[in-house]
């Protein structure tokens, strides 16, 4: 079928043509008060075709690929190209010299009996409800996903990649007197046997109970330690400044700073599509460029932007394999951890803040200026130890200044569901708004 589409497109005067097809299947189960309130099975196929017509690159996206609608979609691509007035590089990629082999487990979650999946979330919910401080469980979720991508083009490129995973979590509501908090610990798994409802319930309870009894603190400048997940959240708000697209549109402070020191020498920010530390491995991007390990920041020095084919051509550089879902972004990006423990990292902090929750962060992020502000919660650090929970605070600062004020990292690297990883990170000083 793909061959027929390519031949038809070329016969219509499209000089180069690419077909990007995806198939995704997912199952979502939701439990509330011991009863299943959602059982959603999804099976979706979609196709995106890109073609160069009269020197301009055009795209058409649709569902379901068949020979019956080939001509109409190719005609639509041509009409879109005729309407374009922008002058930007138009490239269909001929392929990289080689592609990495992905040694990844593709567990078939669909082979697990439905009753086992339901029993997993029933056990998780019931064990959390056994705790004396739990007033209710808002919802308990199990979701599994499979995806396959096929990329072919008129230059002979023919690539495939697959991925499968599942995750599970429960949102517990914890209450002590008038203090109410929610907590959820998510478990992401590459095979079903990785799930342990009792362990996940214990982690959720420990997190929820630890938040109760929080107090505010006086406003001021404090040493701040971001929990690994929270620093990943902060980092996610600024990933766009590392892209060639932002540099091209003058929306990145890093433009013109390749080779300059922009952070403390201890900071290494790495994107590694094949790392065993993360859950997912990606051999090529959505334009067919081979993915490879890349330092965005090495020993504090900015090493260069993430590029797709267009921005690489604009900056006269090689594409970096970072074209995904119509934009530019990383595969598995993470802050390199150190070899010291969390306790060692905070032992010299006399009075500081350990941030474990951020609310409304992305609404308070300005990627261009670097400024950020968000409601936060966590714990007071006193004399090198975690002391008591704190609440009703606001943390604010500037990302570009903050990465120059990093004191240290610990060894607790964790990846988020969005494939962003970080250890716990100790910042010399940030403003905390409290009492």
């Amino acid at each position: 079928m793909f061959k027929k589409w390519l031949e038809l497109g070329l016969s219509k005067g499209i000089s180069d043509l690419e077909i990007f097809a995806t198939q995704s299947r997912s199952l979502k189960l939701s439990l509330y008060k011991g009863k299943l309130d959602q059982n959603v099975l999804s099976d979706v196929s979609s196709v995106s075709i890109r073609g160069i017509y009269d020197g301009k690159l055009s795209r058409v996206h649709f569902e379901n690929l068949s020979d019956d609608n080939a001509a109409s979609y190719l005609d639509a691509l041509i009409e879109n190209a005729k309407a374009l007035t922008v002058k930007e590089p138009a490239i269909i990629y001929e392929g990289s010299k080689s592609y990495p082999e992905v040694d990844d487990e593709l567990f078939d979650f669909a082979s697990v009996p439905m009753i086992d999946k339901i029993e997993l979330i029933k056990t998780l919910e019931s064990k959390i409800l056994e705790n004396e401080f739990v007033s209710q469980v808002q919802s308990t979720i199990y979701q599994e996903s499979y995806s396959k991508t096929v990329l072919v083009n008129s230059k002979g490129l023919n690539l495939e990649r697959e991925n499968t995973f599942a995750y599970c979590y429960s949102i517990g509501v914890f209450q002590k007197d008038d203090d109410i908090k929610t907590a959820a610990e998510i478990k992401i798994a590459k095979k079903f046997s990785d799930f342990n409802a009792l362990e996940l319930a214990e982690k959720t309870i420990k997190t929820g109970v630890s938040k109760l009894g929080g107090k505010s603190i006086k406003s001021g400048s404090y040493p701040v330690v971001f929990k690994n997940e929270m620093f990943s959240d902060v980092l996610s708000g600024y990933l766009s400044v590392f892209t060639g697209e932002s540099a091209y549109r003058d929306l990145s402070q890093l433009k013109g700073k390749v080779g300059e020191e922009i952070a403390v020498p201890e900071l290494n920010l790495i994107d590694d599509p094949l790392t065993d530390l993360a859950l997912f491995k990606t051999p090529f991007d959505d334009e067919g460029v081979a993915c490879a390990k890349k330092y965005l920041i090495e020993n504090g020095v900015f090493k260069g932007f993430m590029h797709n084919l267009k921005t690489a051509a604009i900056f006269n550089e090689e594409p970096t394999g970072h074209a995904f879902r119509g934009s530019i972004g990383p595969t598995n990006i993470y802050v390199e951890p150190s070899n010291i423990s969390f306790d060692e990292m905070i032992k010299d902090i006399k009075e500081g803040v350990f941030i474990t929750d951020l609310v409304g962060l992305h609404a308070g992020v300005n990627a261009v200026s670097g400024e950020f502000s968000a409601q936060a919660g966590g714990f007071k650090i006193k004399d090198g130890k975690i002391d008591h929970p704190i609440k009703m605070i606001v943390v604010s600062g500037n990302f570009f200044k903050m990465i120059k004020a990093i004191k240290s990292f610990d060894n607790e690297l964790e990846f988020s569901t969005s494939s962003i990883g970080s250890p716990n990170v100790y910042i010399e000083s940030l403003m905390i708004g409290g009492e």
Side-chain angles (χ1 to χ4, degrees), residues 31 52 54 78 82 86 96 109 162 187 241 243 248 269 303 323 333 335 353 363 395 416 428:
L31 191 78
I52 299 175
D54 194 24
I78 291 171
K82 290 179 179 179
V86 65
S96 300
F109 286 95
E162 290 180 280
K187 172 65 179 179
V241 304
T243 68
Y248 170 56
L269 182 61
K303 302 299 291 184
I333 191 167
V335 175
V353 176
V395 59
S416 69
E428 184 176 14

Side-chain angles (χ1 to χ4, degrees), residues 157-392:
L157 199 63
N158 192 337
L159 300 170
E160 288 187 10
R161 65 174 187 243
E162 290 180 280
N163 186 43
T164 181
F165 69 100
Y167 62 85
C168 181
Y169 66 90
S170 191
I171 305 173
V173 180
F174 297 79
Q175 184 169 1
K176 184 178 181 181
D177 299 325
D178 293 331
D179 191 15
I180 301 174
K181 292 288 184 290
T182 60
E185 292 287 336
I186 187 168
K187 172 65 179 179
I188 311 172
K190 294 295 286 183
K191 55 183 185 294
F192 191 77
S193 60
D194 289 342
F195 290 115
N196 185 315
L198 299 182
E199 288 184 1
L200 189 53
E202 288 175 1
K203 288 181 67 175
T204 305
I205 290 168
K206 182 179 179 181
T207 299
V209 172
S210 70
K211 294 180 178 182
L212 296 174
K215 309 170 185 176
S216 189
I217 57 175
K218 292 183 179 180
S219 298
S221 179
Y222 290 86
V224 168
V225 177
F226 283 99
K227 183 174 172 57
N228 38 34
E229 297 171 13
M230 296 304 102
F231 196 80
S232 292
D233 282 353
V234 174
L235 180 59
S236 69
Y238 294 93
L239 290 179
S240 64
V241 304
F242 294 96
T243 68
E245 187 73 28
S246 290
Y248 170 56
R249 301 189 184 283
D250 291 322
L251 297 175
S252 173
Q253 288 195 29
L254 300 180
K255 185 176 182 178
K257 293 185 178 180
V258 176
E260 292 185 15
E261 189 173 284
I262 63 168
V264 294
E266 294 78 16
L267 177 60
N268 290 307
L269 182 61
I270 304 166
D271 186 52
D272 188 350
L274 303 174
T275 179
D276 290 329
L277 300 171
L279 284 163
F280 313 117
K281 296 182 180 180
T282 308
F284 61 90
D285 72 1
D286 290 358
E287 294 178 327
V289 180
C291 297
K293 183 177 181 179
K294 177 180 174 60
Y295 279 80
L296 297 176
I297 300 175
E298 185 175 18
N299 299 326
V301 175
F302 178 47
K303 302 299 291 184
F305 293 101
M306 296 180 284
H307 286 298
N308 60 12
L309 291 172
K310 182 187 79 173
T311 62
I314 290 171
F315 286 94
N316 195 27
E317 297 180 12
E318 290 295 317
T320 60
H322 287 104
F324 295 101
R325 295 167 291 279
S327 60
I328 303 174
T331 53
N332 299 313
I333 191 167
Y334 65 97
V335 175
E336 189 173 59
S338 74
N339 57 6
I340 65 171
S341 69
F342 178 80
D343 290 341
E344 290 176 293
M345 182 176 68
I346 69 170
K347 65 183 177 64
D348 294 327
I349 299 177
K350 297 298 181 184
E351 189 177 17
V353 176
F354 179 39
I355 291 180
T356 61
D357 291 283
L358 290 168
V359 180
L361 173 64
H362 290 283
V365 162
N366 186 318
V368 178
S369 69
E371 299 296 321
F372 68 87
S373 179
Q375 294 180 13
F379 297 86
K380 182 76 174 290
I381 301 174
K382 187 175 181 181
D383 295 328
K385 302 286 185 182
I386 296 296
D387 192 57
H388 63 267
I390 56 176
K391 63 179 181 178
M392 303 296 290

Side-chain angles (χ1 to χ4, degrees), residues 5 22 43-48 60-66 69 73:
W5 277 67
T22 62
D43 193 341
V44 178
S45 297
S46 65
V47 182
S48 177
V60 175
H61 183 81
F62 52 94
E63 294 183 2
N64 299 320
L65 181 66
S66 72
N69 52 22
Y73 285 124

